[in-house]
Amino acid sequence: MLRRELEYFFGAIRFFTRLPVPAWVGHSSEALNRAARYFPAVGLLVGAIAALVFVLTAQVWPTTLAVLASMSSALYVTGAFHEDGWSDMVDGFGGGWEKAQILAIMKDSRIGSFGAIALVILLLARFCALIELDPAVVAAALLAGHTISRFAATTLLRGLAYVRDEGKSKPLATRIGWGELLFAGVTAVLPLLLLPPAEALLGCLFAALATLWLARLFGRRIGGYTGDCLGATQQLSEVAFYCGLLCRFS
């Protein structure tokens, strides 16, 4: 049983990152279906790498450069997998009117004007949000942001249907069970304990609002989700989480 769960976990790492995994890990569709529960755990790993890079570089560089190095490390580890989904989703929903047209645009490997602009704005928003945080909490924010945003994307596997007959995310198309979603949720909550409760709550609220808005958009326009939709949800909810941490009321 332990070996099987490790196979699911390493399968998730291989699917969502460029990190090496043990040679004995298989490629079965069942393993990839079960890997969805470990989506937030992968976020915890990516967030830990980003946080470590920030902590180390902040010893010799100003916060702005340390944040840039941290973001770059996460992009390298994931191969910009989710950022690609974000730009494809914006291209599709920005340039298409009907379901078939939206899906066709998202499948096109070329990036359009909508996607390019949205990607620049997203990366700039993430950078600005992180440098506005107290440097003492940036590492914890990265851990929580990468983890909670991947849980946000995981919820779409429960609430929406996969709308393509094929595609890279087809192995994840089986709707996740409540037990698996609970496991993913518990994983996502753990790094939140490193942040002040009120700020963590606001961050989660903003991430949830971003996720609900996107889920409603996906359901209304194409009747479900694609792999690009999952990536877009992870990206927007991560930035929304950081923005929530920065909220101040007077």
mmCIF file with all atom_site columns, all heavy atoms in Angstrom, residues 116-129:
data_model
loop_
_atom_site.group_PDB
_atom_site.id
_atom_site.type_symbol
_atom_site.label_atom_id
_atom_site.label_alt_id
_atom_site.label_comp_id
_atom_site.label_asym_id
_atom_site.label_entity_id
_atom_site.label_seq_id
_atom_site.pdbx_PDB_ins_code
_atom_site.Cartn_x
_atom_site.Cartn_y
_atom_site.Cartn_z
_atom_site.occupancy
_atom_site.B_iso_or_equiv
_atom_site.pdbx_formal_charge
_atom_site.auth_seq_id
_atom_site.auth_comp_id
_atom_site.auth_asym_id
_atom_site.auth_atom_id
_atom_site.pdbx_PDB_model_num
ATOM 1   N N   . ALA A 1 116 ? -0.520 36.611 -24.248 1.00 0.00 ? 116 ALA A N   1
ATOM 2   C CA  . ALA A 1 116 ? 0.749  37.276 -23.940 1.00 0.00 ? 116 ALA A CA  1
ATOM 3   C C   . ALA A 1 116 ? 0.559  38.398 -22.930 1.00 0.00 ? 116 ALA A C   1
ATOM 4   O O   . ALA A 1 116 ? 1.315  38.518 -21.960 1.00 0.00 ? 116 ALA A O   1
ATOM 5   C CB  . ALA A 1 116 ? 1.370  37.818 -25.231 1.00 0.00 ? 116 ALA A CB  1
ATOM 6   N N   . ILE A 1 117 ? -0.461 39.210 -23.161 1.00 0.00 ? 117 ILE A N   1
ATOM 7   C CA  . ILE A 1 117 ? -0.734 40.318 -22.246 1.00 0.00 ? 117 ILE A CA  1
ATOM 8   C C   . ILE A 1 117 ? -1.111 39.791 -20.863 1.00 0.00 ? 117 ILE A C   1
ATOM 9   O O   . ILE A 1 117 ? -0.634 40.287 -19.837 1.00 0.00 ? 117 ILE A O   1
ATOM 10  C CB  . ILE A 1 117 ? -1.852 41.207 -22.807 1.00 0.00 ? 117 ILE A CB  1
ATOM 11  C CG1 . ILE A 1 117 ? -1.370 41.916 -24.075 1.00 0.00 ? 117 ILE A CG1 1
ATOM 12  C CG2 . ILE A 1 117 ? -2.318 42.231 -21.771 1.00 0.00 ? 117 ILE A CG2 1
ATOM 13  C CD1 . ILE A 1 117 ? -2.468 42.612 -24.846 1.00 0.00 ? 117 ILE A CD1 1
ATOM 14  N N   . ALA A 1 118 ? -1.965 38.769 -20.845 1.00 0.00 ? 118 ALA A N   1
ATOM 15  C CA  . ALA A 1 118 ? -2.409 38.207 -19.560 1.00 0.00 ? 118 ALA A CA  1
ATOM 16  C C   . ALA A 1 118 ? -1.248 37.600 -18.794 1.00 0.00 ? 118 ALA A C   1
ATOM 17  O O   . ALA A 1 118 ? -1.186 37.707 -17.561 1.00 0.00 ? 118 ALA A O   1
ATOM 18  C CB  . ALA A 1 118 ? -3.488 37.155 -19.801 1.00 0.00 ? 118 ALA A CB  1
ATOM 19  N N   . LEU A 1 119 ? -0.315 36.960 -19.496 1.00 0.00 ? 119 LEU A N   1
ATOM 20  C CA  . LEU A 1 119 ? 0.832  36.333 -18.830 1.00 0.00 ? 119 LEU A CA  1
ATOM 21  C C   . LEU A 1 119 ? 1.743  37.393 -18.214 1.00 0.00 ? 119 LEU A C   1
ATOM 22  O O   . LEU A 1 119 ? 2.209  37.237 -17.077 1.00 0.00 ? 119 LEU A O   1
ATOM 23  C CB  . LEU A 1 119 ? 1.615  35.488 -19.828 1.00 0.00 ? 119 LEU A CB  1
ATOM 24  C CG  . LEU A 1 119 ? 2.781  34.674 -19.266 1.00 0.00 ? 119 LEU A CG  1
ATOM 25  C CD1 . LEU A 1 119 ? 2.319  33.743 -18.147 1.00 0.00 ? 119 LEU A CD1 1
ATOM 26  C CD2 . LEU A 1 119 ? 3.464  33.884 -20.368 1.00 0.00 ? 119 LEU A CD2 1
ATOM 27  N N   . VAL A 1 120 ? 1.978  38.476 -18.937 1.00 0.00 ? 120 VAL A N   1
ATOM 28  C CA  . VAL A 1 120 ? 2.804  39.559 -18.403 1.00 0.00 ? 120 VAL A CA  1
ATOM 29  C C   . VAL A 1 120 ? 2.151  40.162 -17.161 1.00 0.00 ? 120 VAL A C   1
ATOM 30  O O   . VAL A 1 120 ? 2.808  40.384 -16.133 1.00 0.00 ? 120 VAL A O   1
ATOM 31  C CB  . VAL A 1 120 ? 3.032  40.649 -19.471 1.00 0.00 ? 120 VAL A CB  1
ATOM 32  C CG1 . VAL A 1 120 ? 3.682  41.883 -18.850 1.00 0.00 ? 120 VAL A CG1 1
ATOM 33  C CG2 . VAL A 1 120 ? 3.906  40.113 -20.598 1.00 0.00 ? 120 VAL A CG2 1
ATOM 34  N N   . ILE A 1 121 ? 0.856  40.420 -17.249 1.00 0.00 ? 121 ILE A N   1
ATOM 35  C CA  . ILE A 1 121 ? 0.148  41.010 -16.112 1.00 0.00 ? 121 ILE A CA  1
ATOM 36  C C   . ILE A 1 121 ? 0.173  40.078 -14.908 1.00 0.00 ? 121 ILE A C   1
ATOM 37  O O   . ILE A 1 121 ? 0.377  40.507 -13.772 1.00 0.00 ? 121 ILE A O   1
ATOM 38  C CB  . ILE A 1 121 ? -1.304 41.349 -16.508 1.00 0.00 ? 121 ILE A CB  1
ATOM 39  C CG1 . ILE A 1 121 ? -1.314 42.507 -17.517 1.00 0.00 ? 121 ILE A CG1 1
ATOM 40  C CG2 . ILE A 1 121 ? -2.135 41.716 -15.279 1.00 0.00 ? 121 ILE A CG2 1
ATOM 41  C CD1 . ILE A 1 121 ? -2.680 42.841 -18.060 1.00 0.00 ? 121 ILE A CD1 1
ATOM 42  N N   . LEU A 1 122 ? -0.026 38.786 -15.149 1.00 0.00 ? 122 LEU A N   1
ATOM 43  C CA  . LEU A 1 122 ? -0.033 37.816 -14.056 1.00 0.00 ? 122 LEU A CA  1
ATOM 44  C C   . LEU A 1 122 ? 1.313  37.761 -13.346 1.00 0.00 ? 122 LEU A C   1
ATOM 45  O O   . LEU A 1 122 ? 1.386  37.820 -12.113 1.00 0.00 ? 122 LEU A O   1
ATOM 46  C CB  . LEU A 1 122 ? -0.389 36.432 -14.589 1.00 0.00 ? 122 LEU A CB  1
ATOM 47  C CG  . LEU A 1 122 ? -0.437 35.337 -13.522 1.00 0.00 ? 122 LEU A CG  1
ATOM 48  C CD1 . LEU A 1 122 ? -1.831 35.229 -12.945 1.00 0.00 ? 122 LEU A CD1 1
ATOM 49  C CD2 . LEU A 1 122 ? 0.003  33.997 -14.078 1.00 0.00 ? 122 LEU A CD2 1
ATOM 50  N N   . LEU A 1 123 ? 2.398  37.651 -14.112 1.00 0.00 ? 123 LEU A N   1
ATOM 51  C CA  . LEU A 1 123 ? 3.735  37.584 -13.514 1.00 0.00 ? 123 LEU A CA  1
ATOM 52  C C   . LEU A 1 123 ? 4.074  38.882 -12.788 1.00 0.00 ? 123 LEU A C   1
ATOM 53  O O   . LEU A 1 123 ? 4.680  38.858 -11.701 1.00 0.00 ? 123 LEU A O   1
ATOM 54  C CB  . LEU A 1 123 ? 4.777  37.287 -14.589 1.00 0.00 ? 123 LEU A CB  1
ATOM 55  C CG  . LEU A 1 123 ? 4.700  35.907 -15.238 1.00 0.00 ? 123 LEU A CG  1
ATOM 56  C CD1 . LEU A 1 123 ? 5.683  35.798 -16.403 1.00 0.00 ? 123 LEU A CD1 1
ATOM 57  C CD2 . LEU A 1 123 ? 4.972  34.803 -14.219 1.00 0.00 ? 123 LEU A CD2 1
ATOM 58  N N   . LEU A 1 124 ? 3.671  40.002 -13.362 1.00 0.00 ? 124 LEU A N   1
ATOM 59  C CA  . LEU A 1 124 ? 3.930  41.287 -12.725 1.00 0.00 ? 124 LEU A CA  1
ATOM 60  C C   . LEU A 1 124 ? 3.132  41.418 -11.427 1.00 0.00 ? 124 LEU A C   1
ATOM 61  O O   . LEU A 1 124 ? 3.647  41.904 -10.414 1.00 0.00 ? 124 LEU A O   1
ATOM 62  C CB  . LEU A 1 124 ? 3.570  42.420 -13.680 1.00 0.00 ? 124 LEU A CB  1
ATOM 63  C CG  . LEU A 1 124 ? 3.900  43.846 -13.216 1.00 0.00 ? 124 LEU A CG  1
ATOM 64  C CD1 . LEU A 1 124 ? 5.392  43.986 -12.954 1.00 0.00 ? 124 LEU A CD1 1
ATOM 65  C CD2 . LEU A 1 124 ? 3.435  44.864 -14.265 1.00 0.00 ? 124 LEU A CD2 1
ATOM 66  N N   . ALA A 1 125 ? 1.889  40.959 -11.449 1.00 0.00 ? 125 ALA A N   1
ATOM 67  C CA  . ALA A 1 125 ? 1.058  41.014 -10.239 1.00 0.00 ? 125 ALA A CA  1
ATOM 68  C C   . ALA A 1 125 ? 1.644  40.138 -9.142  1.00 0.00 ? 125 ALA A C   1
ATOM 69  O O   . ALA A 1 125 ? 1.671  40.524 -7.965  1.00 0.00 ? 125 ALA A O   1
ATOM 70  C CB  . ALA A 1 125 ? -0.370 40.568 -10.574 1.00 0.00 ? 125 ALA A CB  1
ATOM 71  N N   . ARG A 1 126 ? 2.131  38.951 -9.499  1.00 0.00 ? 126 ARG A N   1
ATOM 72  C CA  . ARG A 1 126 ? 2.738  38.063 -8.510  1.00 0.00 ? 126 ARG A CA  1
ATOM 73  C C   . ARG A 1 126 ? 3.989  38.705 -7.909  1.00 0.00 ? 126 ARG A C   1
ATOM 74  O O   . ARG A 1 126 ? 4.184  38.680 -6.689  1.00 0.00 ? 126 ARG A O   1
ATOM 75  C CB  . ARG A 1 126 ? 3.083  36.723 -9.150  1.00 0.00 ? 126 ARG A CB  1
ATOM 76  C CG  . ARG A 1 126 ? 3.675  35.706 -8.170  1.00 0.00 ? 126 ARG A CG  1
ATOM 77  C CD  . ARG A 1 126 ? 4.097  34.446 -8.896  1.00 0.00 ? 126 ARG A CD  1
ATOM 78  N NE  . ARG A 1 126 ? 2.967  33.826 -9.554  1.00 0.00 ? 126 ARG A NE  1
ATOM 79  C CZ  . ARG A 1 126 ? 3.064  33.006 -10.593 1.00 0.00 ? 126 ARG A CZ  1
ATOM 80  N NH1 . ARG A 1 126 ? 4.242  32.723 -11.110 1.00 0.00 ? 126 ARG A NH1 1
ATOM 81  N NH2 . ARG A 1 126 ? 1.994  32.471 -11.128 1.00 0.00 ? 126 ARG A NH2 1
ATOM 82  N N   . PHE A 1 127 ? 4.821  39.270 -8.769  1.00 0.00 ? 127 PHE A N   1
ATOM 83  C CA  . PHE A 1 127 ? 6.045  39.918 -8.306  1.00 0.00 ? 127 PHE A CA  1
ATOM 84  C C   . PHE A 1 127 ? 5.727  41.089 -7.382  1.00 0.00 ? 127 PHE A C   1
ATOM 85  O O   . PHE A 1 127 ? 6.306  41.213 -6.290  1.00 0.00 ? 127 PHE A O   1
ATOM 86  C CB  . PHE A 1 127 ? 6.853  40.395 -9.515  1.00 0.00 ? 127 PHE A CB  1
ATOM 87  C CG  . PHE A 1 127 ? 8.084  41.172 -9.162  1.00 0.00 ? 127 PHE A CG  1
ATOM 88  C CD1 . PHE A 1 127 ? 9.220  40.532 -8.692  1.00 0.00 ? 127 PHE A CD1 1
ATOM 89  C CD2 . PHE A 1 127 ? 8.109  42.560 -9.288  1.00 0.00 ? 127 PHE A CD2 1
ATOM 90  C CE1 . PHE A 1 127 ? 10.359 41.247 -8.353  1.00 0.00 ? 127 PHE A CE1 1
ATOM 91  C CE2 . PHE A 1 127 ? 9.238  43.282 -8.957  1.00 0.00 ? 127 PHE A CE2 1
ATOM 92  C CZ  . PHE A 1 127 ? 10.363 42.628 -8.493  1.00 0.00 ? 127 PHE A CZ  1
ATOM 93  N N   . CYS A 1 128 ? 4.818  41.949 -7.794  1.00 0.00 ? 128 CYS A N   1
ATOM 94  C CA  . CYS A 1 128 ? 4.461  43.127 -6.987  1.00 0.00 ? 128 CYS A CA  1
ATOM 95  C C   . CYS A 1 128 ? 3.869  42.722 -5.635  1.00 0.00 ? 128 CYS A C   1
ATOM 96  O O   . CYS A 1 128 ? 4.161  43.339 -4.610  1.00 0.00 ? 128 CYS A O   1
ATOM 97  C CB  . CYS A 1 128 ? 3.480  44.008 -7.753  1.00 0.00 ? 128 CYS A CB  1
ATOM 98  S SG  . CYS A 1 128 ? 4.183  44.859 -9.181  1.00 0.00 ? 128 CYS A SG  1
ATOM 99  N N   . ALA A 1 129 ? 3.033  41.695 -5.648  1.00 0.00 ? 129 ALA A N   1
ATOM 100 C CA  . ALA A 1 129 ? 2.416  41.251 -4.399  1.00 0.00 ? 129 ALA A CA  1
ATOM 101 C C   . ALA A 1 129 ? 3.463  40.707 -3.434  1.00 0.00 ? 129 ALA A C   1
ATOM 102 O O   . ALA A 1 129 ? 3.454  41.022 -2.241  1.00 0.00 ? 129 ALA A O   1
ATOM 103 C CB  . ALA A 1 129 ? 1.356  40.192 -4.687  1.00 0.00 ? 129 ALA A CB  1
#
